[in-house]
Amino acid sequence: MREVFNGGDWTIARFNSFVKSALRSASQRWPPKYQCLNAAKRGKKINWRTGKLAEHYQCNSCSKEFPLKEVQVDHKNPIVPVTGFVSWDEVINNMFCEQDNLQVLCKECHNTKSQVEKTLRKEYKNAKQ
Ligand SMILES: [Zn+2]
């Protein structure tokens, strides 16, 4: 296991967050993400916030339709499993998954799902101790 990062200036936590953010930025260009968004398109409608015509996307959880800014592409199986980090191999495999593991969620449904995952993570972490 490596112990020195950036000549000792970085902790492992800083290094991990650096790698995570680099991966996240690459995942913005991962084609299945756009295939997933395209599949959720439901046509142009008036965006009630702006009053302008905008493409709408259907949330896979509540089935309501939202403009692009209000939806997120979610990994059905979380990138880091609720049981905890295992390896970067696993993180990369989960992050750059195929379209069948991706879904469009509105911000509210995505928050709800993230909260549930956060609670499960805590429970697993506490159970391990
Ligand atoms: Zn929703």
Side-chain angles (χ1 to χ4, degrees):
M1 188 70 176
R2 239 180 108 168
E3 281 168 20
V4 176
F5 301 92
N6 187 24
D9 283 349
W10 284 11
T11 61
I12 188 166
R14 171 104 193 258
F15 175 76
N16 285 346
S17 89
F18 174 80
V19 172
K20 223 177 281 172
S21 112
L23 288 173
R24 207 175 291 277
S25 135
S27 80
Q28 298 305 309
R29 302 188 302 274
W30 178 237
K33 183 191 160 170
Y34 296 96
Q35 293 159 10
C36 175
L37 271 172
N38 274 331
K41 271 186 185 172
R42 292 298 175 269
K44 289 192 174 175
K45 287 163 194 169
I46 299 287
N47 177 347
W48 64 269
R49 262 190 224 284
T50 62
K52 288 180 185 159
L53 210 56
E55 187 64 54
H56 276 57
Y57 301 81
Q58 188 170 33
C59 172
N60 195 39
S61 178
C62 67
S63 297
K64 291 182 202 153
E65 296 173 11
F66 301 88
L68 186 60
K69 273 190 176 172
E70 291 173 49
V71 294
Q72 287 157 338
V73 176
D74 170 65
H75 291 77
K76 292 180 189 170
N77 294 319
I79 293 168
V80 176
V82 292
T83 49
F85 175 89
V86 175
S87 69
W88 285 112
D89 276 355
E90 185 185 53
V91 168
I92 289 167
N93 263 316
N94 290 342
M95 185 175 267
F96 301 102
C97 62
E98 293 305 312
Q99 197 191 335
D100 59 1
N101 188 42
L102 296 172
Q103 63 181 345
V104 166
L105 292 180
C106 71
K107 283 183 178 169
E108 200 184 318
C109 291
H110 196 225
N111 277 341
T112 306
K113 184 177 180 257
S114 300
Q115 285 306 316
V116 170
E117 287 170 4
K118 202 172 160 190
T119 306
L120 286 172
R121 278 200 177 92
K122 265 190 202 151
E123 284 173 9
Y124 274 106
K125 211 173 174 185
N126 291 336
K128 256 194 264 174
Q129 282 166 356

